[in-house]
Amino acid sequence: MTVTILITRPEPAATRFADQVGARLGDKVVILRAPLMRIDYGGALPDIGGDDVLVFTSRHGVAGFCRLTERRDFTCYAVGDATAEAASRAGLRAISAGGDADALLARIAADGVEGPFLHLRGEHVASDISGGLRQQGRIAKEAVVYRQVDMPLSDQAQALLAKETPVIVPLMSPRSAQAFFERAKGAVAPIHVAAISSNAADAVPAGQAQLVEIAQTPDADGVLIVICDLVKRLEGLNPAK
């Protein structure tokens, strides 16, 4: 019995994550990329002062910001290390909160940074960062710099889910969880979910997954660890470390 990892992230994140999974598990699994969203960049930036502090909750936010301006003379807070690395590569001074939205708000509060803040985000977000900052008594605004456009489940993915062999599905947000299970109705395959967070896990409809495991850290590395654990359970493999 071969286990398939079905990756539904948008490109190029889907390919990056597929490469990570392949590097860890090799040919012991089959990897299928079937993005359920594509990223369309656009939007407009408000006036930004020299003392504004940027906030990013995804690499797409960094890319969207950089497409709209050549300015890089800002400090920014990033939700996690991967987003902070993307911001640093773009030339911004980046501080990583190393976690999720709660960790991001907590890090800003602990640092005592007053702002004003500008959250560069997608059209759909899992957490209201600017609202959380305003609740802390800080000035915060936001700008939409990309859209997540829904895509249908590919024919390959539908054929996979019509079989009785197990499928591991990493889910990186509540919206991606909702999108996947809306499109996977009637699936025969036993679905094992590797969820990036409890919020993503909570978005899995009751009874639609055979197992839902939550990553200990809300990032791609945490999800990869869950995937390896699920593969071990299903196949008795010992993934290379």
Side-chain angles (χ1 to χ4, degrees):
M1 179 180 66
T2 302
V3 178
T4 299
I5 317 296
L6 178 59
I7 299 174
T8 62
R9 304 184 72 181
E11 292 291 8
T15 295
R16 280 197 305 265
F17 192 62
D19 290 344
Q20 287 181 272
V21 174
R24 186 71 180 268
L25 293 169
D27 59 2
K28 298 173 182 177
V29 296
V30 173
I31 302 170
L32 175 61
R33 290 177 287 116
L36 292 179
M37 286 179 267
R38 75 169 191 270
I39 303 301
D40 284 358
Y41 292 103
L45 295 176
D47 292 335
I48 310 176
D51 58 348
D52 279 47
V53 179
L54 308 182
V55 179
F56 295 109
T57 46
S58 73
R59 283 186 279 201
H60 299 307
V62 176
F65 171 79
C66 292
R67 286 166 181 256
L68 293 173
T69 179
E70 295 182 356
R71 290 187 62 182
R72 302 291 186 267
D73 55 327
F74 296 103
T75 295
C76 67
Y77 279 86
V79 68
D81 294 343
T83 303
E85 289 169 9
S88 294
R89 287 195 302 270
L92 297 161
R93 299 183 297 274
I95 300 167
S96 174
D100 55 13
D102 290 339
L104 177 62
L105 292 171
R107 175 62 188 269
I108 291 172
D111 287 353
V113 178
E114 293 300 325
F117 295 91
L118 174 63
H119 180 203
L120 288 309
R121 65 174 185 83
E123 187 176 34
H124 302 278
V125 291
S127 300
D128 183 6
I129 298 297
S130 57
L133 289 168
R134 287 192 290 270
Q135 286 182 354
Q136 293 179 359
R138 290 165 168 77
I139 297 172
K141 54 191 174 183
E142 57 192 4
V144 173
V145 294
Y146 68 93
R147 297 173 59 240
Q148 306 103 314
V149 181
D150 289 340
M151 296 173 62
L153 193 62
S154 71
D155 291 343
Q156 280 184 297
Q158 291 185 51
L160 172 69
L161 295 171
K163 300 176 182 178
E164 295 184 356
T165 51
V167 177
I168 296 174
V169 183
L171 295 174
M172 301 301 199
S173 71
R175 185 164 184 254
S176 63
Q178 293 165 0
F180 173 73
F181 283 100
E182 284 173 359
R183 292 162 178 74
K185 289 178 181 176
V188 174
I191 297 170
H192 295 72
V193 171
I196 195 170
S197 66
S198 58
N199 287 340
D202 290 344
V204 175
Q208 295 298 301
Q210 185 160 320
L211 185 65
V212 178
E213 291 287 339
I214 302 171
Q216 292 189 0
T217 57
D219 52 30
D221 289 339
V223 173
L224 180 56
I225 291 170
V226 173
I227 290 172
C228 291
D229 180 61
L230 291 172
V231 169
K232 286 181 187 179
R233 295 192 212 181
L234 291 168
E235 291 278 17
L237 298 178
N238 183 22
K241 298 184 187 261

